Amino acid sequence: MRLFGTDGVRGLANGETLTASLALDLAVSAAQVLASAGQFEGHRPKAVIGRDPRISGQFLEAAVASGLASAGVDVLDLGVVPTPAIAYLTGFLKADLGVVITASHNPMPDNGIKFLAEGGVKLDDALEDAIEARLGQPWTHPTGADVGRIGFYHGGIDDYVDHLVATLPATLEGLTIVLDCAHGAAHESAPLAFERAGATVIPINDQPDGLNINDGVGSTHLDSLCKAVVEHGADAGFAFDGDADRCLAVDATGQCVDGDQIMGMLALAMQASGRLVEDTLVATVMSNIGLHQAMKAAGITLRTTAVGDRYVLEDMKAGGYSLGGEQSGHVIMSEHATTGDGTLTALHVAAWMGATGSGLAELAAVVTRSPQVLINVPGVDKNRCDDEQLLAAVRHAEEILGDSGRVLLRPSGTEPLVRVMVEGPTEAQATELAERLAGIVKERLAL
């Protein structure tokens, strides 16, 4: 089983896999692989490392820094900063390697290690495979002046916030914004960015203690944000996940605005300013049919990829596109960032509100979300989704829906289950068709 998943190495911190020993060994292996690839030639290598606030990040960060230094790499510790800040600072500080210690939106006991290449981009699969293959192999230990040094860089948040604000076409003066920081990595940088952009900011869930990250708060739990926006009479609210690489929004009435609606708004904003390359948006197959319809009406091409920001990024890079993302709120604005950036996304949505003089509810209405029902069917053979009777049932459901909906059968990438997704004009019809298809999946693909 491959150690690296779609977003680095993740697991229960200090459990069977994600230990301090593994973190140290991964760092050594990464340094060795990048050195062998010639990335460090002609200069002393430098890495930056940062983490989210969960307590296990402390020992994992220390282990990674030790491993890199023992392999002759100088290390700058950024402290607690968002994942997109580490990506930005990897390039800004001209580092050869960036390391992110986070488990993003996962519960606090989990953690993860993710490596970024020069410029702050994710390592490709081949390099990750090489790092994994090199684990535990003999290597030459540098000594004396050749070992790396570990230092601290305290200006990272200011540098990152300055970058974010510089991307905006105008100030956010006159807007009152609530920010749910998920007791996570954006607790300092996100409110600071909005304040510097001119908004009145009301931060909530911004007191991380190492244990409370994502605990009933943030982009996966919007109730407290909805309540706060209404109570404060704010213009909008934005919620981040633990490492702040994604965000969801709430309008002035307390209604949730998802990633599809956010992408739709930003696509129109970028199209209006001539910054939407090839008038194209990249999303995944899970994006709502309402986004497809809205983009078609605006003359914008919507390209779809497999689920996962990695695949969105790959398609964006291949076509040179400037906007992409996922329904979950992971939005990539490649003109300004190499990865999804929740704070950047929120700032630009707020800027579009200011530029148009419209409320978030009005702007989000460009995407009319069709009811979407998702059923996970466990305990089945996910490799047999080409079963003819199952495919016939899918075609029949598609005929019933016509242009008003769609059906998606998707085998899970990590579990023995199949996901059945149906969109339709009504919740009742989507639910009925999804349940019918889920029953056929269970019957036909039973293990």
Side-chain angles (χ1 to χ4, degrees), residues 81-120:
V81 290
T83 289
I86 300 168
Y88 170 72
L89 291 166
T90 300
F92 180 76
L93 296 173
K94 296 180 172 55
D96 301 281
L97 177 67
V99 189
V100 186
I101 310 296
T102 184
S104 189
H105 59 282
N106 284 24
M108 181 278 295
D110 289 347
N111 217 322
I113 301 171
K114 177 166 57 179
F115 294 103
L116 303 173
E118 185 180 10

Side-chain angles (χ1 to χ4, degrees), residues 284-365:
T284 76
V285 293
M286 289 301 292
S287 278
N288 195 277
I289 192 173
L291 179 62
H292 290 256
Q293 295 166 340
M295 295 299 94
K296 183 177 180 180
I300 294 172
T301 299
L302 179 60
R303 295 175 58 85
T304 57
T305 73
V307 175
D309 67 290
R310 166 184 293 259
Y311 304 110
V312 174
L313 275 165
E314 287 176 358
D315 197 73
M316 290 178 67
K317 184 177 179 180
Y321 304 120
S322 52
L323 181 65
E326 298 184 277
Q327 190 181 60
S328 61
H330 197 137
V331 177
I332 303 155
M333 304 178 72
S334 62
E335 181 182 358
H336 308 301
T338 60
T339 187
D341 189 327
T343 308
L344 178 71
T345 300
L347 286 167
H348 279 264
V349 170
W352 187 230
M353 291 171 61
T356 59
S358 301
L360 183 57
E362 181 182 351
L363 294 176

Side-chain angles (χ1 to χ4, degrees), residues 202-217:
I202 302 167
I204 63 173
N205 303 318
D206 61 334
Q207 301 296 319
D209 61 9
L211 304 174
N212 57 4
I213 186 171
N214 299 323
D215 188 9
V217 296

